[in-house]
Amino acid sequence: MHDPHSERMSGGETRAASGLALVFAFRMLGLFMVLPVMATYGMELQGSTPALIGLAIGAYGLTQAILQIPFGMLSDRIGRRPVIYAGLLIFAAGSLLAANADSIFGVIAGRVLQGAGAISAAVMALLSDLTREQHRTKAMAMVGMSIGLSFAVAMVVGPLLTRAFGLSGLFLATAAMALLGMLVVATWVPRAAAALQHRESGVASQALWPTLKNLDLLRLDFAILALHAILMASFIALPLALVEQGALVKEEHWWVYLTALLVGFFAMVPFIIYGEKKRRMKQVLLGAVCVLLACELFFALVGQDLRSLVLGMVVFFTAFNLLEASLPSLVSKVAPAGGKGTAMGVYATSQFLGAAIGGILGGWLYQHYSLSGVFLGCALLALFWLAFAVTMREPPYVTSLRLPLSSAALQDAGLAERLQAVPGVADAVVVVEEAAIYIKVDTQQLDRKSLERLIETAPVAC
């Protein structure tokens, strides 16, 4: 029996976090591996046009955006595992459909079906069921790292797999990874005693409307939509630019992506450390958007040879990685107490919608206005994003806590108000049905032991 207050993750928690991180990685690999190869290899498919290639790249985002929140809510009703198994099966079916397609329309249908396996919310909810509150952030960070790593691996492995086995081989590999994900859930991930109603990791229907009205959160939702729209549109143009302007055959593109991602990853770390330590995340974010804008203009007007394109992509991925890593953290900071799960659900929906818009718009722009039209379209979107982001406030530097409440503390009507008067506490809300209190705290000002003592000694209301 493990100590409920242990500072170390138990064996079961480690297995849950590692197993579900692996499921996420397999699924994201399958979605991302298409990015660097679809524009160059997809034109060989029957009926292909640049606009339809763009639709094939972004199509998964449409069904993912529509089904993301409903699947999460369904997992609250029928259980996490049935939803995860069904989602992975749907994803595998979509991969097989795309693998056997000989026209672009078959690939588009496969990508739409892949996106319908929208299991992100159910996986995160299962992770919450299987981890204690003090380790949940650590476990979710492992999942976040697996997504980032899968993107980097996909950029390199996608071109190599397609070079060896063609597009059909790539889609067969993604189907195999989905089935492998099911095996991991069945054999490695422990079973939860019960599904938790947990507002930090799932969507609460009562928190949905307040989340959609919150302007600070809406700015961040638009930010991730714009970021992924720019990414998808750029990946229609960049592989083609490497062939047309950089004179680099498509089989050799993998080393460009590997270089850009590796250098970009290490280059962004100092900026995140600076933003968090100096509490200047707004300035860091605005700077990264300016860099994205400059990169798109550079690609459109200057990037006419291989060296320029590689340099531009290194800078592009530095800004992209910085924004991709910092935006979820900002959502966590800005979301009200007890609203983080719902805020992240809307944020993820915006991300997938951005992927769909970027793919469709990028393909259309390339078909009508060539490569420079795609890059200038992305620059225009980045400029619009910048105008929107300038109005954001400096985010609060707070952490979310969820503390269980005794039956006596639950009866204390003034507990949340008294806690908000404690130095370092920014927000607090009692959720009676969970027998818990959600608190947003500034860890630099807060004495957590005093906070817990105050909750434990809460008087019973008369």
Side-chain angles (χ1 to χ4, degrees):
M1 189 79 179
H2 61 259
D3 177 5
H5 301 293
S6 168
E7 289 305 309
R8 298 182 64 178
M9 291 176 80
S10 68
E13 286 173 319
T14 304
R15 282 174 61 188
S18 61
L20 293 173
L22 207 55
V23 170
F24 251 112
F26 285 154
R27 191 168 158 280
M28 289 303 178
L29 258 176
L31 290 172
F32 290 146
M33 281 196 299
V34 174
L35 276 188
V37 298
M38 197 68 210
T40 46
Y41 285 85
M43 288 307 290
E44 297 165 9
L45 291 163
Q46 185 184 324
S48 282
T49 66
L52 290 174
I53 292 287
L55 181 56
I57 286 176
Y60 82 92
L62 287 172
T63 39
Q64 191 89 351
I66 293 165
L67 295 172
Q68 170 78 11
I69 290 175
F71 269 33
M73 291 179 166
L74 184 64
S75 78
D76 290 336
R77 297 183 61 184
I78 69 168
R80 317 297 188 206
R81 284 173 185 265
V83 170
I84 292 169
Y85 287 139
L88 288 170
L89 270 177
I90 291 168
F91 183 84
S95 302
L96 289 173
L97 178 60
N100 289 298
D102 55 5
S103 76
I104 189 67
F105 300 103
V107 171
I108 291 168
R111 291 286 281 172
V112 167
L113 196 54
Q114 278 186 328
I119 58 166
S120 303
V123 171
M124 295 307 273
L126 181 58
L127 189 64
S128 291
D129 297 344
L130 294 168
T131 51
R132 289 165 290 164
E133 182 269 327
Q134 67 265 38
H135 298 306
R136 201 159 287 129
T137 302
K138 200 187 306 177
M140 289 184 176
M142 286 172 70
V143 169
M145 285 169 60
S146 78
I147 295 171
L149 189 61
S150 68
F151 179 77
V153 171
M155 291 299 102
V156 179
V157 173
L160 290 174
L161 261 179
T162 313
R163 176 184 180 177
F165 305 107
L167 271 180
S168 61
L170 179 75
F171 284 118
L172 285 173
T174 66
M177 283 188 285
L179 297 175
L180 203 54
M182 292 177 69
L183 193 64
V184 169
V185 174
T187 61
W188 182 251
V189 176
R191 295 197 169 270
L196 298 178
Q197 293 298 315
H198 197 295
R199 288 194 176 198
E200 294 294 83
S201 58
V203 174
S205 53
Q206 60 269 47
L208 201 50
W209 181 238
T211 299
L212 294 172
K213 289 194 300 181
N214 186 314
L215 283 177
D216 290 326
L217 286 173
L218 286 176
R219 284 188 187 90
L220 295 171
D221 294 334
F222 180 76
I224 195 64
L225 183 148
L227 181 64
H228 276 258
I230 288 169
L231 176 73
M232 291 295 166
S234 296
F235 262 101
I236 289 167
L238 284 171
L240 294 169
L242 286 171
V243 173
E244 292 176 20
Q245 297 172 1
L248 186 70
V249 292
K250 59 191 179 185
E251 289 80 12
E252 298 297 324
H253 288 192
W254 64 271
W255 69 261
V256 176
Y257 302 129
L258 180 62
T259 304
L261 279 161
L262 280 178
V263 178
F265 175 78
F266 289 108
M268 66 110 180
V269 173
F271 295 102
I272 287 193
I273 294 171
Y274 168 80
E276 287 289 349
K277 290 194 83 169
K278 301 291 184 182
R279 301 200 163 190
R280 294 275 182 87
M281 280 310 297
K282 178 184 175 179
Q283 288 87 335
V284 169
L285 186 141
L286 290 176
V289 179
C290 287
V291 170
L292 272 188
L293 170 59
C295 283
E296 295 296 343
L297 291 173
F298 177 82
F299 290 138
L301 306 172
V302 183
Q304 302 298 320
D305 59 80
L306 184 58
R307 185 179 295 178
S308 299
L309 285 167
V310 173
L311 177 64
M313 286 173 72
V314 166
V315 178
F316 175 89
F317 275 112
T318 301
F320 174 82
N321 289 335
L322 174 57
L323 289 160
E324 182 81 354
S326 57
L327 285 172
S329 166
L330 293 177
V331 173
S332 298
K333 289 177 168 68
V334 170
K340 179 176 149 189
T342 306
M344 288 305 295
V346 175
Y347 172 87
T349 299
S350 305
Q351 175 179 327
F352 295 125
L353 196 57
I357 291 168
I360 294 164
L361 196 61
W364 184 85
L365 283 170
Y366 176 61
Q367 186 161 321
H368 291 88
Y369 301 103
S370 75
L371 288 176
S372 58
V374 180
F375 294 131
L376 289 172
C378 289
L380 193 62
L381 181 54
L383 185 63
F384 186 61
W385 175 10
L386 188 62
F388 205 46
V390 164
T391 60
M392 76 180 279
R393 295 178 290 183
E394 188 69 41
Y397 288 84
V398 292
T399 302
S400 300
L401 298 177
R402 178 186 184 272
L403 300 172
L405 291 180
S406 65
S407 54
L410 278 173
Q411 295 173 52
D412 180 5
L415 178 59
E417 287 74 16
R418 278 203 317 282
L419 284 175
Q420 287 182 58
V422 173
V425 175
D427 192 14
V429 61
V430 173
V431 181
V432 176
E433 57 268 28
E434 293 183 32
I437 185 165
Y438 290 92
I439 313 170
K440 307 279 286 193
V441 300
D442 185 331
T443 50
Q444 288 188 7
Q445 299 178 28
L446 181 82
D447 178 357
R448 178 161 173 167
K449 285 191 167 55
S450 300
L451 178 77
E452 290 175 346
R453 205 159 38 241
L454 179 62
I455 291 171
E456 286 165 8
T457 59
V460 179
C462 297

